[in-house]
């Protein structure tokens, strides 16, 4: 029987290797990359259904059973994120056919994209904390290639900061894993959870708190929480639109996933200090993101700072740690991956038409590009959580969970952030898409209709995700149940 667990990692891995040898034919590269991305979506959807029907799936990659061997684990949380990643990757690949430029396509662009997906899907699927680090590095090395590919001045400048921050973060990650191993003597995530539970039962939980803070710093750098988000606005601004969409939709979400996974598996026993710290940082992250989104008049920067807002909203739900808030966080995380990819592709198209990303130099695009205008309008409403679109359900559950846990100030700030996000994103619509029509020198060279395929696909999916919330809710609820009850994950991996 086919084990769908490994295929979303294996397919892009094989594709990335094959594309290295197909660099002389851009057309062949596009066909291979497109078919591979589509096939990955299919197997990821089958994996989700498999987990839905049969529970948590595991695969030992050696003759050694867990916790001694390397184990891949797919519960509903990781399976849904793998599926969402695969859909976003397919959309970005389709957009890249006409939106990345042949100069980049010649230099192994599609290979780097596929290796990036290997790292992201692997990080979501691994059941081993050290292999989480390995997949992080695969993802980061691919992102180094993508952020610098093209060699523009801004890319070269921002890539130095991006690489430096991630090298320091990776070093700290290894140190944290070594410290964790010295305490528990295992690297298997399920087994670590068991060992930490035993430690907290017989001694002071101070050492668990130290480990929790260390991992929060490591994953906070990756996920861009306050005050560790300083590297993100410039680094994500530098690359072209499809790369920006991949980064904005996927890379920070791997950090968010890692915080969610480790917090729910390792540190739920010591919930006092770590929980309060995470709640405070999450709220500060929301506030910092809102300030940036409202302050800038650059379409890319506005959407980039809205990434930071979403990270804070999701992590507030995770820190609240009740079933409503966690269900909302999972729902909102998937929504944000889809809608952020759509928005980055849309603002990238706007910048290509106008020849600039400065909002003050745009205006009246809806006159000649009504499809772009109304697609962006729907995406803006979804992002800010207007019912019945996809952002509403997740944020409502997070706020409900916050109030039920008596975190009133945090829940109120999350609620207010919806209005401020709407103001920030509608600033793009009012000033860039609405208003007096302008003529742009570069617009005739932009293949508008072909570039609209991918963002329209994502926005339509987002609408169905919100309107069809009753259909997807059982899947989201199953994911949240695993996060609130670590024993489901542990029993599946250790076969207890």
């Amino acid at each position: 029987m086919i084990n769908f667990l490994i295929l979303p990692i294996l397919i892009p891995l094989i594709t990335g290797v094959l594309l290295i040898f197909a660099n002389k034919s851009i057309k062949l590269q596009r066909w291979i990359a497109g078919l591979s991305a589509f096939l990955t979506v299919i197997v990821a959807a089958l994996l989700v259904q498999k987990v839905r029907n049969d529970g948590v799936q595991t695969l030992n990659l050696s003759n050694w059973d867990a916790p001694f061997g390397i184990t891949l684990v797919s519960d509903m949380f990781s399976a849904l994120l793998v599926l969402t990643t695969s859909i976003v990757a397919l959309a970005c690949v389709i957009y890249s056919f006409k939106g990345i430029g042949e100069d980049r396509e010649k230099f192994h662009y599609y290979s780097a994209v596929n290796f990036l997906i290997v790292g992201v899907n692997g990080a979501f699927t691994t059941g081993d904390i050290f292999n989480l680090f390995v997949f992080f590095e695969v993802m980061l090395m691919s992102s180094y290639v993508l952020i610098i590919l093209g060699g523009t001045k801004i890319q070269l400048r921002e890539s130095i900061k991006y690489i430096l921050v991630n090298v320091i973060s990776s070093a700290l990650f290894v140190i944290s894993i070594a410290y964790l191993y010295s305490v528990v003597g295992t690297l298997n995530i399920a087994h670590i959870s068991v060992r930490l539970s035993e430690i907290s039962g017989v001694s002071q939980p101070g050492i668990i708190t130290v480990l929790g803070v260390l991992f929060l710093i490591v994953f906070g750098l990756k996920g861009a929480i306050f005050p560790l988000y300083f590297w993100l606005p410039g680094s994500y601004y530098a690359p072209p639109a499809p790369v920006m969409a991949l980064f904005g939709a996927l890379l920070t979400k791997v950090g968010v996933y890692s915080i969610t996974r480790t917090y729910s598996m390792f540190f739920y026993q010591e919930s006092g200090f770590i929980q309060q710290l995470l709640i405070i940082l999450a709220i500060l992250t929301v506030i910092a993101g809102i300030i940036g989104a409202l302050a800038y008049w650059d379409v890319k920067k506005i959407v980039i700072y809205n990434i930071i807002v979403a990270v804070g909203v999701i992590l507030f739900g995770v820190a609240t740690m009740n079933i409503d808030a966690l269900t909302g966080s999972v729902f909102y995380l998937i929504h944000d991956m889809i809608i952020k990819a759509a928005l980055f592709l849309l603002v990238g198209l706007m910048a290509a038409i106008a020849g600039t990303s400065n909002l003050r130099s745009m205006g009246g695009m809806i006159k000649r590009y009504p499809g772009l205008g109304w697609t962006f309008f729907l995406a803006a409403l979804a992002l800010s959580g207007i019912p019945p679109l996809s952002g509403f359900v997740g944020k409502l559950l997070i706020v409900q969970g916050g109030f039920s846990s008596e975190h009133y100030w945090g829940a109120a700030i999350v609620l207010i952030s919806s209005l401020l996000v709407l103001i920030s994103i509608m600033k793009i619509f009012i000033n860039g898409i609405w208003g007096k029509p302008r003529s742009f020198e570069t617009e005739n060279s932009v293949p508008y209709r072909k570039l609209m395929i991918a963002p329209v696909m994502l926005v339509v999916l987002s609408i169905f995700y919100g309107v069809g919330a009753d259909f997807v809710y059982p899947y989201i609820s199953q994911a949240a149940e695993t996060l609130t009850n670590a024993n489901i994950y542990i029993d599946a991996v250790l076969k207890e």
Side-chain angles (χ1 to χ4, degrees):
M1 185 179 69
I2 298 174
N3 196 320
F4 294 109
L5 182 60
I6 198 170
L7 289 181
I9 303 170
L10 200 57
I11 291 170
L13 176 61
I14 294 171
T15 304
V17 174
L18 285 175
L19 286 169
I20 292 173
F21 301 100
N23 65 314
K24 301 213 178 276
S25 173
I26 292 174
K27 198 170 187 179
L28 180 61
Q29 286 188 69
R30 290 173 179 173
W31 272 103
I32 294 173
L35 288 172
S36 170
F38 179 74
L39 185 59
T40 306
V41 171
I42 297 300
V43 297
L46 292 171
L47 174 62
V48 168
Q49 201 55 44
K50 180 73 173 173
V51 174
R52 173 67 180 156
N53 294 333
D54 300 333
V56 179
Q57 301 294 297
T58 63
L59 177 64
N60 294 315
L61 298 180
S62 65
N63 291 326
W64 295 90
D65 292 332
F68 306 106
I70 295 171
T71 306
L72 296 179
V73 185
S74 189
D75 61 353
M76 185 56 77
F77 184 40
S78 65
L80 287 172
L81 295 184
V82 166
L83 175 59
T84 311
T85 297
S86 304
I87 292 170
V88 168
L90 174 61
C92 291
V93 166
I94 291 171
Y95 188 95
S96 298
F97 293 161
K98 294 295 181 181
I100 195 67
E102 292 188 4
D103 289 342
R104 288 184 171 92
E105 287 178 298
K106 289 176 182 176
F107 289 95
H108 307 294
Y109 167 77
Y110 294 110
S111 285
V113 169
N114 275 276
F115 289 134
L116 182 81
I117 301 309
V118 171
V120 174
N121 283 346
F124 289 149
T125 308
T126 185
D128 182 286
I129 192 70
F130 183 77
N131 280 291
L132 179 62
F133 165 75
V134 171
F135 282 118
F136 258 107
E137 292 307 297
V138 172
M139 177 185 76
L140 289 173
M141 284 188 288
S142 305
S143 70
Y144 299 156
V145 175
L146 291 170
I147 198 172
I148 206 168
L149 197 60
T152 62
K153 184 178 179 181
I154 187 172
Q155 285 179 282
L156 294 171
R157 184 182 72 237
E158 294 298 334
S159 65
I160 295 171
K161 178 170 64 178
Y162 178 77
I163 293 170
L164 184 62
V165 166
N166 280 295
V167 166
I168 294 170
S169 175
S170 296
L172 186 58
F173 196 177
V174 173
I175 293 168
S176 301
I177 291 171
Y179 186 23
L180 178 64
Y181 184 78
S182 71
V183 173
V184 297
T186 183
L187 296 171
N188 183 278
I189 290 173
H191 203 212
I192 291 169
S193 181
V194 172
R195 290 285 179 85
L196 286 175
S197 180
E198 292 170 354
I199 291 171
S200 66
V202 298
S203 62
Q204 295 296 323
I207 195 166
I208 300 177
T209 302
V210 172
L211 286 167
V213 172
L214 276 174
F215 277 103
L216 189 56
I217 293 170
V218 170
F219 297 137
L221 266 170
K222 309 287 189 186
I225 67 172
F226 181 90
L228 305 172
Y229 68 90
F230 59 89
W231 58 271
L232 185 141
S235 299
Y236 282 19
Y237 185 86
V243 177
M244 194 166 51
L246 282 170
F247 283 15
L250 303 182
L251 298 197
T252 51
K253 304 310 185 294
V254 178
V256 170
Y257 165 82
S258 301
I259 291 173
T260 306
R261 179 64 76 193
T262 54
Y263 182 77
S264 63
M265 292 294 294
F266 299 170
F267 308 120
Y268 63 91
Q269 301 98 339
E270 203 291 287
S271 57
F273 176 77
I274 297 175
Q275 182 186 35
Q276 292 303 316
L277 177 62
L278 190 54
I279 288 174
I280 291 167
L281 292 179
I283 294 304
L284 290 175
T285 303
V286 172
I287 294 170
I290 287 293
I291 291 169
L294 292 173
Y296 278 95
W297 281 81
D298 186 293
V299 293
K300 295 180 184 178
K301 283 285 179 71
I302 292 170
V303 181
I304 286 170
Y305 274 96
N306 272 297
I307 296 174
I308 298 168
V309 177
V311 167
V313 170
I314 295 163
L315 289 180
F316 174 75
V318 172
T320 303
M321 207 62 188
N322 60 49
I323 189 65
D324 285 337
L326 277 171
T327 304
S329 290
V330 175
F331 200 104
Y332 197 82
L333 175 57
I334 295 168
H335 144 80
D336 196 66
M337 291 169 73
I338 296 168
I339 210 66
K340 282 296 192 311
L343 281 168
F344 275 118
L345 296 179
L346 288 167
V347 298
L349 179 51
M350 288 173 64
I353 291 169
T356 177
S357 58
N358 188 333
L359 199 51
R360 293 189 174 97
S361 300
M362 297 181 183
M365 286 191 181
I366 200 166
K367 182 74 174 178
R368 287 191 297 278
Y369 307 101
L372 171 62
W374 293 118
T375 302
F376 184 89
F377 182 73
L378 288 171
L381 295 182
L383 178 70
S384 52
I386 302 298
L389 300 174
S390 58
F392 171 73
V393 179
K395 193 167 284 188
L396 178 67
L397 287 169
I398 291 171
V399 171
Q400 184 178 321
F403 281 127
S404 65
S405 295
E406 299 183 354
H407 299 299
Y408 300 117
W409 278 106
I413 290 172
V414 169
L415 202 57
I416 294 167
S417 73
S418 293
L419 175 62
L420 299 177
V421 165
L422 182 62
I423 293 170
S424 73
I425 207 74
M426 289 306 289
K427 182 165 70 174
I428 298 176
F429 183 79
I430 293 167
N431 294 280
I433 292 173
W434 209 252
K436 185 178 179 181
R438 300 189 185 192
S439 58
F440 305 106
E441 294 180 5
T442 57
E443 63 182 314
N444 293 328
S445 62
V446 177
Y448 161 74
R449 293 184 185 280
K450 292 179 179 177
L451 291 179
M452 278 297 296
I453 293 171
V456 166
M457 181 178 79
L458 290 171
V459 171
V460 169
L461 178 62
S462 173
I463 291 170
F464 278 112
Y465 184 56
V467 174
D470 287 342
F471 172 76
V472 300
Y473 187 82
Y475 294 85
I476 305 295
S477 180
Q478 185 176 338
E481 184 183 1
T482 310
L483 294 174
T484 52
N485 185 0
N487 289 326
I488 297 173
Y489 186 100
I490 293 167
D491 293 345
V493 174
L494 301 181
K495 305 291 193 295
E496 292 183 352

